């Protein structure tokens, strides 16, 4: 079946530090890959996505590249801000008729001034 | 403004009572989903529906029921058979396409005592 594994948190960084959150996946076929962000007490918001191999998704300074050879979709940001403190979820949609999202367990990021 | 609304934000019930969570969308999306979120466990799919009057069980459907009588609405009932109902419940919608993201509502936090 499909699965997503992301690095366990929590992750604590100082403002302006470099961020990497690792995400690897197992899926049949050619899945679409997503990063969602959840601020405290809220629903999830799409951060970025990539729908085919070698695509790079980017938004608000965050980037992730769809690497089929390593089945990875790592999230990166060059300089984090306090406002980036949230929980980040990696997810995939393998299509195949159900169009469900399979989520990783989430990584909590705290950025301190 | 298009989006997904969930009500109420917080819900309290006594053990043994059924409770219904509301989810409405005005995005004209065909597919709707219910997820349960527990600390450290990511999101787990309860039920999903791709068209009106049809829905499918997700990974943890036991103790829950849904209906899809209108395209815009997908209410979730948490029955007394659900052993651990206290959780954060998220509703989402999308078009039926694997590369398309799901849009999430703000969530309902249910506490059963």
């Amino acid at each position: 079946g499909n699965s997503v594994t992301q690095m366990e948190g929590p992750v604590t960084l100082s403002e302006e530090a470099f961020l990497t959150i690792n995400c690897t996946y197992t899926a049949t076929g050619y899945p679409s890959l997503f990063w969602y962000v959840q601020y405290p007490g809220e629903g999830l918001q799409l951060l970025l996505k990539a729908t085919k191999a070698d695509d790079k998704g980017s938004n608000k300074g965050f980037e992730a590249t769809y690497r089929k050879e390593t089945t990875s979709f790592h999230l990166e940001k060059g300089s984090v801000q306090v406002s980036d403190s949230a929980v980040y979820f990696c997810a995939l949609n393998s299509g195949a008729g159900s169009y469900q999202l399979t989520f990783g367990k989430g990584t909590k990021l705290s950025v301190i001034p | 403004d298009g989006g997904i609304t969930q009500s109420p934000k917080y819900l309290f019930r006594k053990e043994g009572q059924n409770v219904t969570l509301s989810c409405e969308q005005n995005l004209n999306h065909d597919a709707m989903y219910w997820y349960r979120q527990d600390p450290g466990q990511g999101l787990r799919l309860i039920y999903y529906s791709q068209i009106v009057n049809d829905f499918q069980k997700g990974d943890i459907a036991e103790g829950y029921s849904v209906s899809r009588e209108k395209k815009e609405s997908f209410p979730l009932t948490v029955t007394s058979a659900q052993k651990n109902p206290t959780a954060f419940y998220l509703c989402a919608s999308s078009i039926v396409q694997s590369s398309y993201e799901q849009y999430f509502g703000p969530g309902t936090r249910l506490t059963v005592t």
Side-chain angles (χ1 to χ4, degrees):
Chain A
N2 300 328
S3 67
V4 174
T5 303
Q6 56 181 110
M7 65 187 281
E8 303 223 352
V11 174
T12 302
L13 295 173
S14 297
E15 209 166 17
E16 299 184 5
F18 185 85
L19 169 71
T20 300
I21 300 178
N22 290 338
C23 171
T24 58
Y25 67 89
T26 302
T28 54
Y30 301 93
S32 295
L33 302 174
F34 305 85
W35 276 102
Y36 282 85
V37 59
Q38 184 179 34
Y39 298 100
E42 297 184 9
L44 276 68
Q45 302 173 27
L46 178 71
L47 183 57
L48 53 85
K49 71 176 184 182
T51 59
K52 60 183 189 297
D54 299 324
D55 266 2
K56 178 187 281 189
S58 61
N59 186 26
K60 299 180 182 179
F62 291 90
E63 292 183 341
T65 301
Y66 188 158
R67 302 282 189 205
K68 191 164 175 61
E69 63 276 13
T70 55
T71 62
S72 65
F73 192 54
H74 304 321
L75 182 68
E76 297 182 336
K77 186 176 185 183
S79 175
V80 294
Q81 305 300 312
V82 171
S83 57
D84 294 326
S85 298
V87 181
Y88 293 82
F89 292 93
C90 184
L92 72 82
N93 186 330
S94 67
S98 69
Y99 307 104
Q100 297 177 44
L101 284 177
T102 300
F103 285 90
K105 292 189 175 183
T107 302
K108 184 176 181 179
L109 170 67
S110 297
V111 180
I112 55 178
Chain B
D1 265 344
I4 300 179
T5 56
Q6 290 186 245
S7 60
K9 180 75 172 172
Y10 299 95
L11 194 51
F12 298 89
R13 280 294 182 270
K14 295 290 188 187
E15 202 172 305
Q17 294 178 336
N18 292 354
V19 59
T20 297
L21 282 59
S22 167
C23 177
E24 304 277 331
Q25 55 101 357
N26 61 3
L27 299 167
N28 200 33
H29 287 165
D30 285 309
M32 296 187 74
Y33 311 81
W34 274 105
Y35 294 90
R36 171 181 170 137
Q37 185 177 22
D38 296 284
Q41 294 208 39
L43 278 72
R44 293 181 290 169
L45 183 66
I46 305 172
Y47 269 98
Y48 65 99
S49 167
Q50 294 185 7
I51 55 173
V52 173
N53 292 323
D54 187 48
F55 46 83
Q56 306 296 328
K57 292 182 179 179
D59 301 320
I60 56 164
E62 186 175 347
Y64 299 97
S65 65
V66 293
S67 63
R68 187 86 187 277
E69 296 176 1
K70 298 185 300 181
K71 188 175 184 177
E72 304 79 26
S73 178
F74 191 41
L76 173 74
T77 297
V78 184
T79 75
S80 56
Q82 168 51 234
K83 290 183 172 46
N84 296 297
T86 295
F88 190 50
Y89 290 89
L90 287 160
C91 179
S93 72
S94 75
I95 66 172
V96 181
Q97 184 177 315
S98 62
S99 61
Y100 195 81
E101 61 270 25
Q102 290 182 14
Y103 286 77
F104 283 80
T108 291
R109 185 165 298 280
L110 173 64
T111 303
V112 177
T113 57

